[in-house]
Amino acid sequence: MTTVSAYAATSATEPLTKTTITRRAPGPRDVVIDIKFAGICHSDIHVAKAEWGQPNYPMVPGHEIAGIVTEVGSEVSRYTPGDRVGLGLISDSCRQCSSCLAGLEQYCKAGLTPTVNSIGRDGQPNQGGYSEGIVVDENFVVRIPDSLPLDKAAPLLCAGITLYSPLRHWKAGEDTRLAIIGLGGLGHMGVKLGAAMGAEVTVLSQSLKKMEDGLRLGATHYHATSDPDTFTKLRGSFDLILNTVSANLPLGDYLNLLDIGGTLVELGIPEHPMEVPAATLASGRRTLSGSQVGSIAETQEMLDFCAEHDVTPEIELIEADYINEAYERVLASDVRYRFVIDISSL
């Protein structure tokens, strides 16, 4: 067992505080990662504040992890010390169900094992990436290409793959009229990735205050959803819409923006159930779907794609003692577009 420094949540109302945690000794197939950078995802805040169920406090958040391999188990074949690697939301799965056997660990029928706020195979709580090091099975580690800076690679392990997976699944390309709802940590990656795939990208945002950013990041069009004329003007305009916000939107209005046979994909998780007008679906053979991160193989594919096409997130690098202020700024939508913690500051 190894002791490492970390930042942990101790209750739903108290700020995160510096502490120490223990990591298990590496098993035969384990990889030990010296964490260099960890992204801050909005879901970290949901979990820390007990908004998605009761956490096992003290709980170390962080599932956008980039670092260097320092040690490997005796049976590890994929990695050696010195390798640049990443770890995302999934740190284990049942490995036996039809989803896992098909390489779709994110849809493990027994329930995937999250990197944060879960119980590992050893019966101990899993602690996340706001820490100096982590131990994980090699099958859930991905390789970060040399051309991707580690600090910018970190958010790709969640924000990047969350957008890449549906874009690939619905075959976004040069003939795709793509709309991204929201220009935040997730949405800005959708714009960059969609543009790199050749799609015609439109941002649908509540206001036009980020319009200059959206066009700079790769969007061709930018519209304010607070303007009722937007929904009239854009009716039937899109083949694929990715919704990155977690608010309860008027789905009928957005479904009407799809052309015949178009698909709206939910990536954010609203607090309340969504009301879906069946007639709007039926009248255009439209589809309402959802998507959750991506598989390990798909995450590796995404990293390689980003390296090849020079796609990286817009980040603000912070020191560890700024985590609580960063949380407040995320809640206030005051970040462009992803906070990343420099773990060397722990």
Side-chain angles (χ1 to χ4, degrees), residues 157-168:
L157 278 303
C158 179
I161 187 56
T162 297
L163 273 297
Y164 184 88
S165 185
L167 287 169
R168 275 296 189 229

Side-chain angles (χ1 to χ4, degrees), residues 155 159 163 180 182-194 217 244 311-315 336-338:
L163 273 297
I180 304 292
L183 191 67
L186 291 179
H188 93 287
M189 286 307 307
V191 171
K192 287 193 168 194
L193 288 165
L217 296 172
T244 70
V311 175
T312 56
E314 308 285 304
I315 69 168
R336 292 190 178 181
Y337 282 89
R338 206 70 163 183

Side-chain angles (χ1 to χ4, degrees), residues 75-147:
E75 298 178 18
V76 168
S77 59
R78 300 182 183 184
Y79 302 100
T80 59
D83 286 347
R84 306 165 85 249
V85 297
L87 174 65
L89 174 68
I90 310 169
S91 65
D92 207 343
S93 68
C94 81
R95 314 189 198 190
Q96 298 176 342
C97 70
S98 58
S99 294
C100 288
L101 293 176
L104 296 170
E105 302 90 352
Q106 74 272 40
Y107 302 121
C108 175
K109 291 178 178 177
L112 63 84
T113 301
T115 300
V116 174
N117 194 39
S118 64
I119 302 298
R121 289 177 180 241
D122 59 1
Q124 298 301 310
N126 282 330
Q127 302 287 12
Y130 298 5
S131 60
E132 292 177 313
I134 196 165
V135 182
V136 64
D137 187 289
E138 68 169 331
N139 290 294
F140 297 87
V141 177
V142 288
R143 189 179 302 277
I144 296 175
D146 290 342
S147 61

